[in-house]
């Protein structure tokens, strides 16, 4: 027997103690932390006739917190593309991995929660996005629910090895040559490059650099048909308020590279001490210095630094299969966007 208590986004602070306990679970990530989700409340729409944001705290009969479900409920379909159903808060934003919040996965508690949602909101369809395919919730859904659609997205991470020498051996011959070439170009052109692994750069400059990189990538990768589809989607799909993590996440950090004292690359990252990993979020590269691959060199030097310092065990490069991730030895893992019904 379980007991469910419902909280709205204005009441999230009431969940802090239980959330901080549950977020220590081995399947949780930076994006399941209390501080990240408290930040997200500022970018979660207010309740209206179409949708409602709720946080369901599930306790066992002894009153112990078992899980917290941050849910965005669409009560009736609107603008055609916004389907009636149950979604996870954090979608359409910077949360690369979504999940329920739990220390140890309890399938009976999840079953109880799903049935409660079905009975309370009269909803059968669930749209859970960006679940790690290795986590217990995803496996539970696949094994017990009727799956209508499942979309796989590639992510990349790098488990840190015991020594820099061992790490170098994992890099391809081509990768090692690319790194040498980048340094040789800098030396040939008489440039000096410096790195900072916990910097406080000019945020407006970071925003501009990111915007330029994004525009160039979209022009290169999107066909006219892709751009038309994106236009239609943007017109009809409900858009959550936009934000940048390096403005809103007060616990975010920066890796930076400077060429001759000028910012040329940055990675905004989240540090997850509980799970000894970092997650890379926003990235920016200066077009002026792009030929020197400053972003690759920055991350390469940071990897070597962390292998020596042993502060973390994993560098999670999150969503996307950009080339630089593999140059530095990253390996694939996958997230699933799953449409299922009870």
């Amino acid at each position: 027997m379980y007991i469910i208590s419902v909280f709205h986004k204005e009441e999230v602070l009431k969940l802090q103690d239980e959330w901080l306990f549950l977020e220590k679970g081995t399947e949780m990530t930076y994006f399941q932390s209390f501080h990240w989700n408290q930040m997200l409340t500022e970018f979660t729409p207010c309740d209206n006739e179409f949708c409602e944001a709720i946080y369901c705290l599930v306790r066992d009969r002894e009153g112990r917190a078992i899980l917290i479900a941050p849910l965005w409920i669409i009560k009736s379909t609107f603008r055609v593309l916004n389907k009636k159903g149950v979604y996870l808060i954090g979608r359409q934003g910077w949360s690369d991995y979504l999940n329920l919040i739990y220390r140890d996965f309890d399938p009976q508690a999840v079953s109880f929660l799903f049935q409660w949602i079905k009975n309370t909101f009269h909803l059968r369809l669930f749209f859970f996005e960006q679940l790690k395919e290795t986590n217990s919730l995803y496996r539970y859904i696949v094994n017990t629910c009727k799956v209508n659609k499942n979309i796989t997205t590639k992510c990349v991470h790098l488990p840190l090895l015991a020594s820099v020498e061992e790490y170098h051996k994992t890099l391809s011959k081509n990768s090692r040559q690319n790194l040498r070439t980048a340094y040789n170009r800098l030396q040939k052109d008489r440039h000096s490059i410096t790195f900072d692994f916990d910097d406080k750069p000019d945020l407006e400059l970071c925003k501009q650099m990111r915007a330029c990189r994004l525009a160039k990538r979209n022009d290169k990768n999107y066909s006219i048909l892709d751009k038309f589809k994106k236009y239609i989607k943007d017109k009809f799909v409900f858009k959550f308020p936009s934000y940048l993590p390096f403005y809103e996440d007060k616990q975010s950090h920066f890796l930076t590279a400077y060429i001759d004292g000028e910012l040329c690359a940055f990675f905004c990252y989240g540090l997850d001490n509980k799970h000894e990993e970092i997650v890379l979020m926003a990235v920016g590269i200066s077009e002026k210095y792009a030929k020197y691959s400053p972003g690759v060199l920055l991350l390469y030097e940071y990897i070597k630094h962390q292998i020596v310092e042993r502060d973390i065990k994993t560098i999670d490069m999150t969503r996307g299969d950009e080339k630089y991730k593999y140059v530095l030895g990253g390996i694939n893992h996958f997230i699933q966007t799953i449409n299922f019904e009870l």
Side-chain angles (χ1 to χ4, degrees):
M1 178 62 182
Y2 300 90
I3 301 168
I4 294 180
S5 303
V6 177
F7 300 81
H8 291 270
K9 66 176 188 174
E10 299 81 7
E11 303 173 292
V12 162
L13 197 59
K14 295 179 181 179
L15 292 166
Q16 183 172 2
D17 291 343
E18 288 89 352
W19 202 309
L20 290 174
F21 171 76
L22 295 172
E23 71 179 38
K24 295 177 182 177
T26 57
E27 295 187 350
M28 301 296 96
T29 73
Y30 186 81
F31 304 111
Q32 278 72 62
S33 66
F34 175 77
H35 97 269
W36 178 264
N37 282 270
Q38 185 180 29
M39 179 269 291
L40 285 183
T41 62
E42 298 296 321
F43 305 97
T44 302
C46 295
D47 298 347
N48 57 46
E49 61 181 310
F50 297 111
C51 57
E52 179 179 358
I54 61 172
Y55 298 79
C56 298
L57 172 61
V58 181
R59 297 181 182 274
D60 64 16
R61 66 179 64 191
E62 282 77 34
R64 293 173 296 203
I66 302 300
L67 67 85
I68 296 171
L71 304 174
W72 192 59
I73 310 290
I74 296 185
K75 294 177 281 189
S76 58
T77 297
F78 64 101
R79 293 187 211 158
V80 183
L81 298 181
N82 304 284
K83 301 297 185 182
K84 175 181 176 180
V86 184
Y87 300 76
L88 292 170
I89 290 175
R91 63 189 305 260
Q92 292 188 24
W94 288 88
S95 300
D96 284 69
Y97 310 124
L98 300 180
N99 203 347
L100 304 180
I101 316 302
Y102 51 85
R103 187 138 182 176
D104 299 298
F105 187 78
D106 183 337
Q108 292 180 325
V110 173
S111 176
F112 186 87
L113 171 68
F114 284 179
Q115 287 300 319
W116 178 88
I117 293 168
K118 178 182 175 181
N119 296 334
T120 303
F121 294 97
H122 308 292
L123 296 172
R124 297 178 59 89
L125 284 176
F126 290 68
F127 303 85
F128 279 13
E129 298 151 302
Q130 295 157 218
L131 300 178
K132 283 191 173 184
E133 68 174 17
T134 55
N135 77 31
S136 300
L137 177 62
Y138 175 73
R139 294 197 299 268
Y140 169 84
I141 292 169
V142 170
N143 291 330
T144 65
C145 302
K146 178 185 176 184
V147 176
N148 298 322
K149 191 174 183 180
N150 203 355
I151 300 172
T152 302
T153 300
K154 192 178 292 184
C155 302
V156 181
H157 71 289
L158 179 66
L160 298 184
L161 299 174
S163 69
V164 174
E165 292 73 21
E166 189 177 350
Y167 167 62
H168 280 151
K169 290 178 182 178
T170 68
L171 298 179
S172 68
K173 181 179 179 181
N174 189 53
S175 292
R176 295 194 296 271
Q177 181 59 51
N178 287 341
L179 291 165
R180 285 194 296 269
T181 298
Y183 275 117
N184 289 339
R185 282 177 179 167
L186 285 164
Q187 186 175 19
K188 180 181 177 183
D189 295 343
R190 298 182 179 180
H191 291 306
S192 63
I193 187 168
T194 57
F195 307 101
D196 193 318
F197 301 144
D198 196 4
D199 196 11
K200 297 186 183 300
D202 182 332
L203 298 186
E204 280 299 303
L205 180 55
C206 291
K207 180 180 178 181
Q208 294 167 18
M209 288 173 60
R210 178 184 174 274
C212 290
R213 175 180 179 269
L214 204 58
K216 182 178 179 181
R217 187 181 68 181
N218 289 345
D219 286 342
K220 179 180 179 181
N221 295 337
Y222 288 174
S223 66
I224 294 176
L225 180 59
D226 290 333
K227 291 177 181 178
F228 177 72
K229 289 180 179 178
K230 185 177 184 302
Y231 168 79
I232 295 298
K233 185 177 180 181
D234 288 345
K235 189 174 181 65
F236 291 100
V237 171
F238 183 87
K239 300 297 289 184
F240 287 77
S242 63
Y243 63 96
L244 288 171
F246 49 79
Y247 281 113
E248 307 302 336
D249 179 9
K250 304 309 179 185
Q251 295 188 27
S252 63
H253 300 260
F254 277 90
L255 307 175
T256 54
Y258 294 83
I259 292 180
D260 301 336
E262 184 177 346
L263 181 67
C264 59
F266 77 85
F267 291 89
C268 173
Y269 68 95
L271 174 60
D272 184 351
N273 287 310
K274 294 183 181 69
H275 302 96
E276 299 179 287
E277 70 176 12
I278 69 162
V279 292
L280 299 183
M281 297 186 286
V283 179
I285 307 294
S286 168
E287 286 301 309
K288 178 179 177 181
Y289 296 109
K291 71 174 184 178
Y292 302 111
S293 304
V296 174
L297 295 182
L298 170 60
L299 201 50
Y300 169 67
E301 293 296 336
Y302 181 68
I303 290 167
K304 293 193 297 178
H305 169 79
Q306 281 298 348
I307 288 173
V308 173
E309 295 297 321
R310 308 305 298 173
D311 294 327
I312 60 171
K313 294 180 179 178
T314 306
I315 296 176
D316 193 332
M317 304 176 195
T318 61
R319 281 181 288 179
D321 56 357
E322 293 88 344
K323 183 180 177 181
Y324 75 88
K325 298 179 180 181
Y326 301 106
V327 167
L328 293 168
I331 57 178
N332 290 333
H333 66 278
F334 302 93
I335 54 176
Q336 304 288 346
T337 291
I338 189 165
N339 170 344
F340 65 98
E341 61 183 288
L342 301 184

